DNA sequence: GTCTATATGTTGATAGAC
DNA sequence: GTCTATCAACATATAGAC
């Protein structure tokens, strides 16, 4: 059994990178081919259509975020898990200001009413919402769902505003407010 | 002096409508021409380029939001102004779930690093941020700027999440939380 | 000012040699 | 599996008659 080439993986990495910076619609197969070093015509050996690439990038981002979230499950205190998680957006605040949230930008672009990507859009946010809901419900069983909703909405709005204003300090200021808010619960 | 035709206005209205539902990049000049009833070739008599239409739609949305915000200035109490304003997203919650926020979706799509729309993107959010900052500073001069930032971020995140989950109830739940939050200040 | 016809470039996708 | 060449459709934009 021959070792599979790494071309498919390279294509996904390039697509993910380019879609983050340019959006899905704006990113052409030619862009992806050039960036990955795979000839244009060869892309279709690995992906049936461009939309197929889109779905794959969505699954890749959801899986990456799920893996990241799982890492914070080592702390016992749910408050601690949530606060530790806030270090992540803070770490990548320059990228968030430049390109927006990898989940939120794609979810917003793909959630058009007639789109075949509506389910993908939902999954991109659901992964964080589910994780947050579990933690907030451990803190306050009655309001858990609403608290998680506010948490995720604030994070997403934070990235959108930071990106629109091109200002990483927006992330700093709102992460600090979120931290104080969680500790006050 | 002949009465100007309404074609330019019709083009802007169609563009605004289509961009809200499909995004700017996805919306073609052919789409706009068909929807407005103006022949494709004639579009270029009113707008030099497609980007020109984009800029015009941005200015139109900013102006519309500014006009809306001015209407809430009739109340004396700044808390009251902010709470009354929350009736707006609640009223259009079905549209927000379907298409997202007219300011946020466009700001997020146009704020790419190399884009010539970066300033437009900033203005789309700044109009609400400035208005909110004035009100929150009247409530709490020290934290006014941060409170306004949290307010706008939550509103934007609310629309993004409602749109991704295709659920107007997200708007209902978060508007209620925002209302309670403002009253607690 | 208005419209038809069309130029020009780009994009997603395919054919077929190797 | 890999790559070159290319098609067919679509997009922005222009030319030029009326």
């Amino acid at each position: 059994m021959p070792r599979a080439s790494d071309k498919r993986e390279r294509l996904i990495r390039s697509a993910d990178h380019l879609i983050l910076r340019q959006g899905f619609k704006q990113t052409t197969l030619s862009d992806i081919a050039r960036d990955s070093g795979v000839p244009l015509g060869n892309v279709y050996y690995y992906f049936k259509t461009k939309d197929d690439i889109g779905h794959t990038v969505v699954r890749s981002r959801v899986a990456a975020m799920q893996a990241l979230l799982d890492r914070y499950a080592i702390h016992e205190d749910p408050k601690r898990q949530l606060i530790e998680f806030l270090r992540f957006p803070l770490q990548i605040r320059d990228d968030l200001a430049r390109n927006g949230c990898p989940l939120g930008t794609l979810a917003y672009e793909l959630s058009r009413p007639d789109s075949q990507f509506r389910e993908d859009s939902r999954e991109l946010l659901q992964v964080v919402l589910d994780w947050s809901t579990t933690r907030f419900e451990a803190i306050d069983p009655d309001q858990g769902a609403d608290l998680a909703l506010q948490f995720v909405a604030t994070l997403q709005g934070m990235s959108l505003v930071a990106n629109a204003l091109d200002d990483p300090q927006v992330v700093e200021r709102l992460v600090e407010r979120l931290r104080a808010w969680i500790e006050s619960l």
Side-chain angles (χ1 to χ4, degrees), chain A residues 6-18 29 32-40 42-47 53 57:
Chain A
D6 61 341
K7 282 185 180 159
R8 185 186 158 88
E9 199 180 341
R10 292 218 315 273
L11 284 167
I12 297 174
R13 274 214 318 159
S14 290
D16 185 271
H17 184 232
L18 290 166
L29 292 172
I32 298 171
R34 180 165 13 88
D35 187 80
S36 64
V38 175
L40 178 57
N42 200 4
V43 172
Y44 286 90
Y45 177 77
Y46 297 97
F47 298 96
I53 296 181
V57 168

Side-chain angles (χ1 to χ4, degrees), chain A residues 128-148:
Chain A
V128 186
L129 192 56
D130 286 346
W131 185 87
S132 307
T133 301
T134 306
R135 273 72 197 168
F136 279 106
E137 277 181 343
I139 299 172
D140 183 340
D142 290 339
Q143 295 190 78
D146 279 356
L147 294 171

Side-chain angles (χ1 to χ4, degrees), chain A residues 8 33 37 52 60 76 84 89 94 98 115 122 137 142 161 163 170 180:
Chain A
R8 185 186 158 88
D52 189 14
S60 166
E76 299 137 34
E84 287 294 316
D94 286 350
R98 223 186 309 274
S115 169
R122 197 189 59 74
E137 277 181 343
D142 290 339
V161 174
N163 181 237
V170 168

Side-chain angles (χ1 to χ4, degrees), chain A residues 10 21-22 54 56 69 90 100 103 106-107 141 156 159 170 173:
Chain A
R10 292 218 315 273
R21 298 199 303 185
Q22 311 178 346
T56 304
L69 291 169
L90 200 61
L103 305 180
L106 199 50
Q156 286 301 324
S159 293
V170 168
R173 290 160 66 192

Side-chain angles (χ1 to χ4, degrees), chain A residues 27 37 41 51 59 72 75 78 80 99 106 108 110 113 117 126-127 134 142 150 152 156 158 171:
Chain A
T27 299
D51 283 0
R59 285 200 303 272
Y72 294 100
H75 300 99
R80 180 66 184 239
N99 304 312
L106 199 50
Y108 229 169
L110 298 182
F117 287 97
Q126 199 74 50
V127 59
T134 306
D142 290 339
Q150 175 169 354
V152 174
Q156 286 301 324
M158 172 186 83
V171 176

